[in-house]
Amino acid sequence: NDIYSRNYNELKKMEFDKDIEDLLNPLAVPGIKGLRCAFLGEEGTDKEKITNDIANYLYRIGKISTNKVRYMNLNTNIEFADDVLYSIQGLQDYLENLDNNDDFSGSAASERRNNKFRMQTLISNSKGRYIIINGTPLEFKKFLACNSKLPYIFDNAVYFKDFEDEKILSIFEKNLPEFHKKFIDDDKRKTFLDYLDRNRKYFPFKNRDLSMFLAGYVSRKSELILPKERYEE
């Protein structure tokens, strides 16, 4: 039993490592010399769990010195240590802080200088680091607009979905007007799923809302046609 248990645990660990490696492969150079990417999705889509899983994996293969993720808030001074995985969270707080510093008072001017200094520190010290941004697609889009160099640093993104595509399709079908339900067939379902695969990352709202939005869009059309343009803010 002990031998079986050890073999089973080793097999599960190998399967876990393969899953993490499949996730990391498109994100980093061979050998994972650095990892700078964004985990994007709505609240509750397990972005933080995957961040911790990756920290454990990088620690096991000797890429970082601790399996503890160091969480970073952009509203405080930024200091990097070597061989540590950082997770930048609280983007919304930082963005609100930027918006609130526009009254031209002395304190606001000082905070604007601090924001600029923190951003320059992040940009100039990111090379070779392990940094994951944890936020929503819309937060990330606004964050990249803070500095023209940021898109060249955080140029990889993983989009986390709060429902599987088939679940989105089922919600979509349920919310369709009766008139349009009769037009749903396998070809239409495939078209819908293909559309989701191409465009879901551009929709900054909950996926249940996305399904109802698309169902409402269709209900205003004379036939079942999905919008081909990207949803803009």
Side-chain angles (χ1 to χ4, degrees):
N1 285 340
D2 289 342
I3 294 175
Y4 172 80
S5 179
R6 285 198 300 271
N7 289 342
Y8 176 79
N9 289 334
E10 282 298 313
L11 181 61
K12 295 304 290 183
K13 187 163 75 69
M14 289 171 60
E15 291 175 352
F16 169 80
D17 285 355
K18 179 66 166 57
D19 289 340
I20 296 296
E21 287 166 2
D22 288 345
L23 177 67
L24 292 179
N25 277 339
L27 302 179
V29 295
I32 317 178
K33 297 176 181 177
L35 177 67
R36 299 183 304 279
C37 66
F39 285 178
L40 306 179
E42 301 301 336
E43 296 295 329
T45 50
D46 272 352
K47 301 183 295 295
E48 190 170 344
K49 177 184 180 301
I50 298 298
T51 302
N52 287 311
D53 287 345
I54 287 178
N56 280 318
Y57 172 78
L58 292 175
Y59 175 69
R60 276 208 316 275
I61 65 174
K63 294 296 180 179
I64 58 179
S65 57
T66 173
N67 64 348
K68 302 297 183 184
V69 178
R70 184 168 298 180
Y71 295 102
M72 180 185 293
N73 188 326
L74 295 174
N75 287 327
T76 59
N77 290 333
I78 297 173
E79 296 181 6
F80 285 107
D82 291 332
D83 303 326
V84 175
L85 175 64
Y86 290 88
S87 178
I88 299 177
Q89 297 180 304
L91 288 187
Q92 187 61 43
D93 292 339
Y94 179 72
L95 294 168
E96 288 177 358
N97 189 35
L98 291 181
D99 290 339
N100 292 334
N101 290 330
D102 58 1
D103 61 4
F104 301 104
S105 68
S107 60
S110 174
E111 190 58 32
R112 281 196 296 272
R113 285 195 297 271
N114 288 336
N115 286 331
K116 185 177 180 180
F117 176 75
R118 292 171 192 137
M119 194 57 62
Q120 289 173 341
T121 301
L122 176 64
I123 292 169
S124 61
N125 289 279
S126 63
K127 186 175 181 180
R129 304 290 183 182
Y130 300 88
I131 306 172
I132 291 175
I133 288 184
N134 184 341
T136 67
L138 190 56
E139 284 175 339
F140 185 59
K141 180 179 178 181
K142 290 181 177 179
F143 174 68
L144 292 185
C146 294
N147 188 291
S148 61
K149 294 183 179 179
L150 283 174
Y152 299 98
I153 295 174
F154 300 101
D155 56 352
N156 295 298
V158 178
Y159 292 88
F160 290 72
K161 304 171 183 178
D162 51 0
F163 290 115
E164 294 296 325
D165 289 351
E166 288 74 14
K167 177 65 174 178
I168 298 295
L169 173 60
S170 69
I171 299 172
F172 168 75
E173 288 191 43
K174 181 180 178 181
N175 284 283
L176 275 177
E178 290 299 323
F179 172 80
H180 291 290
K181 286 182 180 179
K182 61 187 177 184
F183 294 109
I184 294 291
D185 56 24
D186 288 343
D187 286 340
K188 293 292 192 304
R189 292 186 178 96
K190 183 178 185 305
T191 298
F192 185 91
L193 293 174
D194 288 344
Y195 169 79
L196 285 184
D197 187 55
R198 292 194 309 273
N199 292 295
R200 275 182 75 180
K201 61 187 178 183
Y202 301 108
F203 288 83
F205 42 57
K206 284 286 188 178
N207 291 329
R208 183 182 299 276
D209 298 330
L210 169 58
S211 295
M212 297 177 69
F213 167 80
L214 293 175
Y217 180 95
V218 169
S219 71
R220 295 190 295 271
K221 299 292 183 180
S222 60
E223 56 185 355
L224 187 68
I225 301 176
L226 294 175
K228 292 183 172 58
E229 70 279 4
R230 293 177 180 176
Y231 176 80
E232 296 294 339
E233 178 189 356

